[in-house]
Amino acid sequence: MRAGFKASHRFGIPRAGAPPKGYPTGRPRTGAFAKLGRAGANRKRAYCLAIPYFGQLHDSGQCDPGRRSGQRTPYSSRLMNRHTQNARDGVYLDHAATSPLRPEVWKAMEAALGDADYNPASNHAAGRRAQALLEEARRTVAGCIDAERADLCFTSGGTQANNLAVLGFVRARADDSPRVFVSAVEHKAVLSAAACASQEGVEVHEVPVDETGTVDLAALEEGLAADPARPTLLSLMWANNEIGTVQPIAEALEIARRCGAHVHTDAVQAFGKLDLSVRNVPVDMLTITAHKVGGPVGIGALYRQADTGLAPITFGGSQERGLWPGTQNVLAAIGFAAAAQLAADRRAEHARRWTELRERLADQLRDRLEGVRVHGEGAPARMPNLLSVSIPCVDQTSVLLGLDLERVAVSAGSACSSGSGTPSHVLEAIGRRNDEDHAVLRFSFGPETTPECVDHAADVVVRTVQRIR
């Protein structure tokens, strides 16, 4: 075993000691072992896992005095410290990309160590304990959307669940000439899956949206009614990940039912923030994921009504009823369940506060900067925790860099498309020209976002834009 690791370490978090052989040393780097300098009379070098926080390097040796004395502070305590930072220490307003792991979630995962880290498919006592924890987590997550435990399939994330919904539907009906309808503002996971289906001979239709990003229901009904005898899937996101527009899912579902179509909704952004109930809005399939609500990255779920047939899109085992084969991640499922329950318990409270913060930030930007436009404004419903704006006459890259240098974390839109260099298909769909000289900023809030954070972010945005202009 490499030096610096003990057999009991979990999740790749090393104990103090020398770095692994061949590991580069020198200047600390985020996400790697950080050299902390000389400690103690013997000038011993210590190494630990660096914990990034809003562009400022935090590590367990510098921020955890107990670590220096050989007493390890629980990781959950360090997470709690990260979640209680104030605006002066940096502002994280990119929860639509990922919401940092909540301390309560880590504690739930940590408590399951020793039982959850076995293969739940194994036919022995350890495997049965893991299986019991997995099914309890499934029951909890399903309960947060008013679903039955048996109807929830764990996947590796929201993207995978969306692919399973779209491609699994059409491949199960490949001999019957299936159709797929998607809105023009869907997440790339759905649009790419639909494009793949098109290459396999499936007829794919894109439904337009208005200037707020709301789907055109008249155009949707016209398209669905054109050939109702063919198996048809409508994939319409519950809430948009870039501009926050909430789609009229209930109305779209009624139209789809009249035309004999099945409905899938990508509810990744809406989960934990809006009232999602498959009893009240009985869609055929619904996608959710853990890391948007403070759960671990790498686990999502697809709700599927029992009579909605799907073909698997990956192969190799019978797990998740054959729809998503492979050994299940029990610890991640436990974290998913803890995060989902936390979000559900405080959803109404958070929604009220986030709406106030959203309007507070929008008002400050409009009052202090000329020409600011709020995307999605005027839509019948918008996400309470998401604000997307465009600021004219300024370079977007320069603004984002300026904000990052002042430790304000925001994005330009979908994190899944960042770095691709391609224009936002969402902004194009609502009539925004991508060749215009403007900066697009997406702010998204989490449980710990305060008015102080929003005010500080507004100050930094205004100062940065004025400096660039």
Side-chain angles (χ1 to χ4, degrees):
M1 182 171 294
R2 287 183 173 181
F5 286 84
K6 293 184 179 179
S8 60
H9 85 278
R10 302 287 185 185
F11 301 105
I13 299 175
R15 302 295 189 249
K21 183 178 180 180
Y23 198 89
T25 60
R27 185 177 180 180
R29 296 182 182 274
T30 300
F33 286 103
K35 180 179 176 182
L36 303 181
R38 308 187 184 279
N42 62 358
R43 301 162 71 88
K44 177 181 178 182
R45 292 190 297 179
Y47 294 85
C48 70
L49 185 72
I51 306 297
Y53 184 73
F54 310 155
Q56 177 182 9
L57 181 65
H58 279 200
D59 62 69
S60 53
Q62 293 171 334
C63 302
D64 182 3
R67 178 67 175 270
R68 296 179 181 174
S69 63
Q71 297 177 352
R72 180 177 175 81
T73 299
Y75 185 51
S76 56
S77 297
R78 284 181 276 147
L79 279 177
M80 185 65 76
N81 291 337
R82 185 177 71 178
H83 275 267
T84 55
Q85 298 291 323
N86 57 42
R88 292 187 301 276
D89 297 311
V91 175
Y92 184 79
L93 298 180
D94 200 17
H95 289 265
T98 200
S99 195
L101 192 71
R102 295 191 58 76
E104 302 93 331
V105 173
W106 172 265
K107 288 180 180 179
M109 296 170 68
E110 192 175 39
L113 288 175
D115 287 322
D117 41 345
Y118 292 97
N119 192 327
S122 297
N123 292 319
H124 46 59
R128 289 193 296 273
R129 289 196 301 271
Q131 178 69 19
L133 290 172
L134 178 69
E135 295 309 313
E136 183 58 33
R138 193 191 309 274
R139 187 188 310 277
T140 300
V141 176
C144 292
I145 58 172
D146 291 337
E148 296 297 326
R149 176 185 62 83
D151 295 335
L152 196 78
C153 169
F154 282 128
T155 66
S156 301
T159 292
Q160 291 79 5
N162 283 338
N163 274 261
L164 177 58
V166 175
L167 294 176
F169 180 90
V170 298
R171 290 176 182 175
R173 299 160 179 81
D175 295 335
D176 299 320
S177 301
R179 302 182 301 166
V180 172
F181 284 76
V182 297
S183 82
V185 294
E186 293 302 305
H187 190 277
K188 285 292 187 181
V190 168
L191 294 180
S192 297
C196 180
S198 177
Q199 294 175 357
E200 296 176 5
V202 175
E203 186 179 306
V204 176
H205 300 267
E206 187 176 276
V207 185
V209 297
D210 63 18
E211 66 277 2
T212 70
T214 306
V215 68
D216 185 337
L217 292 177
L220 173 63
E221 184 163 18
E222 181 180 356
L224 291 177
D227 196 354
R230 294 167 61 186
T232 301
L233 176 68
L234 165 64
S235 186
L236 178 63
M237 64 191 343
W238 201 297
N240 186 262
N241 56 301
E242 291 194 32
I243 63 175
T245 301
V246 177
Q247 298 294 352
I249 295 295
E251 292 86 343
L253 179 62
E254 290 181 6
I255 293 172
R257 290 288 183 260
R258 289 199 298 268
C259 299
H262 290 73
V263 176
H264 162 252
T265 181
D266 175 358
V268 163
Q269 289 295 335
F271 182 59
K273 289 100 176 172
L274 302 178
D275 183 15
L276 304 187
S277 171
V278 295
R279 291 179 185 170
N280 298 334
V281 185
V283 293
D284 299 284
M285 293 181 286
L286 181 145
T287 294
I288 55 178
T289 197
H291 73 103
K292 305 297 188 183
V293 290
V297 174
I299 186 168
L302 178 67
Y303 159 78
R304 172 189 66 125
Q305 286 191 14
D307 59 351
T308 302
L310 295 179
I313 61 173
T314 57
F315 306 91
S318 60
Q319 293 90 343
E320 301 301 312
R321 293 172 173 78
L323 290 178
W324 199 254
T327 303
Q328 294 108 321
N329 190 338
V330 181
L331 278 171
I334 291 170
F336 193 174
Q341 193 62 63
L342 282 170
D345 290 344
R346 302 187 64 185
R347 179 187 56 79
E349 171 194 343
H350 286 159
R352 286 192 298 269
R353 184 167 59 83
W354 286 333
T355 301
E356 294 173 359
L357 294 177
R358 185 192 70 194
E359 298 307 307
R360 181 188 186 110
L361 180 56
D363 289 343
Q364 290 194 52
L365 295 178
R366 279 187 291 211
D367 291 344
R368 300 168 65 183
L369 292 173
E370 183 179 356
V372 170
R373 173 176 174 175
V374 175
H375 300 133
E377 193 169 38
R382 292 164 58 203
M383 285 289 294
N385 73 317
L386 194 152
L387 174 69
S388 174
V389 302
S390 62
I391 304 172
C393 305
V394 67
D395 177 68
Q396 177 168 286
T397 302
S398 299
V399 174
L400 288 172
L401 179 60
L403 296 181
D404 188 43
L405 289 174
E406 297 210 41
R407 294 184 294 176
V408 174
V410 302
S411 70
S414 172
C416 298
S417 298
S418 64
S420 66
T422 58
S424 166
H425 68 284
V426 174
L427 296 182
E428 287 185 337
I430 64 174
R432 292 291 289 169
R433 290 172 49 198
N434 283 288
D435 58 352
E436 294 178 357
D437 183 19
H438 65 268
V440 176
L441 302 178
R442 182 188 69 176
F443 307 86
S444 48
F445 314 136
E448 307 302 329
T449 307
T450 65
E452 179 190 18
C453 293
V454 166
D455 294 344
H456 179 72
D459 290 340
V460 173
V461 170
V462 171
R463 185 165 62 247
T464 301
V465 169
Q466 290 175 342
R467 182 174 64 248
I468 294 172
R469 283 177 172 174

